[in-house]
Amino acid sequence: MSIVKKLRRLAANFVFGSMRVPLRFFLGLQSPQAEVSVWLYGMDTPRDVTFHHSMACAAPFTVCIAFDKDRVPSEKERSRLSLKLREHDGRKRVLGELRLKYTAASSTSGPELMFFEVTSAKNYCLPRLRLWAHRLRAAYSIWRTGGDQSFNFKMTPLDHRAMEVIFICPRPIMLVSVLEESGGNMFPMNVMGQIDDSYFAFSLKGSKFPAHLVERVGRVALSSIPMPQADVAYRLGPNHGTKSIHWHDLPFATKPSTAFRVPVPIFSLRVREMEVEIIPKLGSHTFFAARIVHDELFAEGLEWAVAHGHYAAWRYKRHSTELVSLLIENARIKGDGPSDRLPM
Ligand SMILES: Cc1cc2nc3c(=O)[nH]c(=O)nc-3n(C[C@H](O)[C@H](O)[C@H](O)COP(=O)(O)O)c2cc1C
């Protein structure tokens, strides 16, 4: 290798780190995840909302937080809310922060849902220089290629930074099954979260078939996927662009779910069946809040999950062997599919 190339590689390693971690970083986690907790600040006392919030929309970037009906934030409190994402154990370091601006509320038959856009997003996972180097490179790639062509919406730099921060907290990736008389679909989804003991929220791009299908049918089954089967589940990504599928074309066997008799993967760790209650339209994504009507655990095991690459770089900074084996696992799951996309 020429001296110029060597110097260039040294400089790149210095700025970006010696190991390149993909933005959409897959990992296997015990459920419920206990790596990162999400705290709401600005009410009387800080509240742990790890299992009471969900990303709701990418553009404008919006977060949904669920509150008990008798304890919604007052108008004064609403104006000063923020989320802090903290290491769950150890020194409980703050890894990211989002300042929130209240935009709307919606009632379910359970919790009250409030929607917040983001006014600032801070990511403490990487040193500043490295973070800005990554952002400059991403901005250059968006400018050169026109961004991800499969998205027909534009995210602002703040939307991108907020996405980095929300995915500091690892999120499960599930396979969604929807059945209607004329067909149905099964596709992976990670923009979602448990928002209450018996409520789940998820978001689908408003311009794609799955959002319209779920809106029509109003009931879905969400299957947790064991890490070893993540590669076959990942291959269902293109189903987001499909009106309906032939169930027998799926690359694995299915079984009917208990309540709705919807086909779910035979290897599902857990299946939650739910009925959609409210569907506010927020921007790039359609948001669904659904009540769980049946929840069945079939097996224990590491569940397929995703986190932002910046969090992974921080998390495995001192565990390079673990990081290398996860990078190999990421390559196995992604195969020759698009390797570096935003986790949505
Ligand atoms: C693992 C995974 C998770 C995804 N999660 C979501 C999601 O939560 N919401 C959504 O609207 N699209 C989701 N998608 C869809 C992708 O953003 C994209 O639209 C889809 O993979 C089609 O890409 P293509 O047009 O390049 O084939 C997901 C895709 C994959 C592979």
Side-chain angles (χ1 to χ4, degrees):
M1 199 191 304
S2 77
I3 188 86
V4 178
K5 265 196 178 159
K6 269 189 191 156
L7 284 174
R8 229 193 253 155
R9 180 175 288 183
L10 268 176
N13 287 351
F14 176 73
V15 179
F16 294 110
S18 54
M19 265 189 250
R20 306 293 151 77
V21 180
L23 298 184
R24 180 191 256 173
F25 184 84
F26 295 140
L27 65 171
L29 288 179
Q30 286 296 346
S31 174
Q33 72 80 22
E35 291 211 359
V36 175
S37 28
V38 182
W39 288 81
L40 178 68
Y41 282 75
M43 293 176 72
D44 42 6
T45 50
R47 288 157 179 245
D48 183 346
V49 293
T50 313
F51 301 107
H52 296 278
H53 82 287
S54 179
M55 173 182 153
C57 184
F61 190 90
T62 308
V63 180
C64 165
I65 303 176
F67 296 91
D68 288 341
K69 288 212 165 88
D70 57 358
R71 191 53 192 105
V72 294
S74 65
E75 210 164 307
K76 197 167 158 209
E77 285 172 325
R78 269 181 237 164
S79 64
R80 55 177 193 226
L81 295 179
S82 65
L83 288 177
K84 286 189 184 172
L85 292 90
R86 319 184 79 107
E87 186 185 11
H88 187 268
D89 297 323
R91 289 167 49 197
K92 304 201 184 311
R93 276 166 287 203
V94 177
L95 303 173
E97 219 170 326
L98 296 173
R99 289 211 133 270
L100 305 176
K101 182 179 85 180
Y102 169 77
T103 53
S106 260
S107 276
T108 66
S109 59
E112 180 76 5
L113 306 186
M114 289 196 154
F115 297 91
F116 301 89
E117 288 178 19
V118 162
T119 55
S120 84
K122 298 214 169 94
N123 182 342
Y124 306 117
C125 289
L126 296 184
R128 270 213 188 155
L129 170 70
R130 189 162 292 174
L131 202 56
W132 280 104
H134 278 285
R135 285 178 185 157
L136 269 178
R137 193 167 58 175
Y140 173 67
S141 142
I142 290 171
W143 172 78
R144 207 166 44 97
T145 60
D148 194 325
Q149 303 299 334
S150 66
F151 302 162
N152 67 344
F153 54 87
K154 269 217 156 100
M155 290 172 68
T156 64
L158 177 60
D159 295 333
H160 277 278
R161 291 202 302 278
M163 173 83 75
E164 269 174 30
V165 171
I166 206 81
F167 276 95
I168 285 173
C169 179
R171 319 260 163 193
I173 308 175
M174 298 191 196
L175 281 181
V176 185
S177 308
V178 197
L179 182 66
E180 64 179 348
E181 239 164 62
S182 57
N185 203 346
M186 193 188 286
F187 49 87
M189 184 171 74
N190 58 217
V191 181
M192 64 176 162
Q194 177 101 34
I195 50 167
D196 197 77
D197 286 346
S198 47
Y199 279 82
F200 229 83
F202 53 91
S203 295
L204 291 164
K205 288 182 207 77
S207 59
K208 298 243 174 185
F209 294 117
H212 306 302
L213 175 66
V214 176
E215 195 166 349
R216 266 196 319 273
V217 176
R219 39 161 64 175
V220 296
L222 263 56
S223 305
S224 308
I225 305 303
M227 202 51 181
Q229 275 77 32
D231 55 339
V232 276
Y234 180 73
R235 274 193 259 143
L236 303 193
N239 287 358
H240 279 270
T242 309
K243 214 167 186 178
S244 113
I245 58 162
H246 297 292
W247 295 101
H248 50 260
D249 286 345
L250 287 171
F252 46 76
T254 60
K255 60 183 176 186
S257 68
T258 306
F260 302 151
R261 316 303 290 169
V262 183
V264 293
I266 195 90
F267 47 71
S268 306
L269 294 173
R270 180 176 180 179
V271 176
R272 293 173 178 94
E273 295 173 78
M274 48 191 87
E275 263 165 14
V276 173
E277 272 197 8
I278 57 165
I279 315 179
K281 305 244 161 56
L282 299 173
S284 58
H285 284 63
T286 303
F287 176 87
F288 300 88
R291 189 174 55 83
I292 300 170
V293 295
H294 189 80
D295 184 353
E296 202 162 347
L297 186 68
F298 293 99
E300 304 276 355
L302 290 185
E303 185 182 350
W304 185 27
V306 62
H308 198 281
H310 295 346
Y311 167 71
W314 174 84
R315 166 80 172 75
Y316 297 103
K317 193 166 50 181
R318 290 194 185 82
H319 305 90
S320 50
T321 352
E322 227 176 308
L323 178 57
V324 170
S325 62
L326 276 166
L327 289 173
I328 294 170
E329 193 62 351
N330 269 263
R332 177 187 72 82
I333 296 169
K334 289 170 188 166
D336 49 11
S339 62
D340 214 11
R341 313 187 80 168
L342 287 171
M344 66 166 170

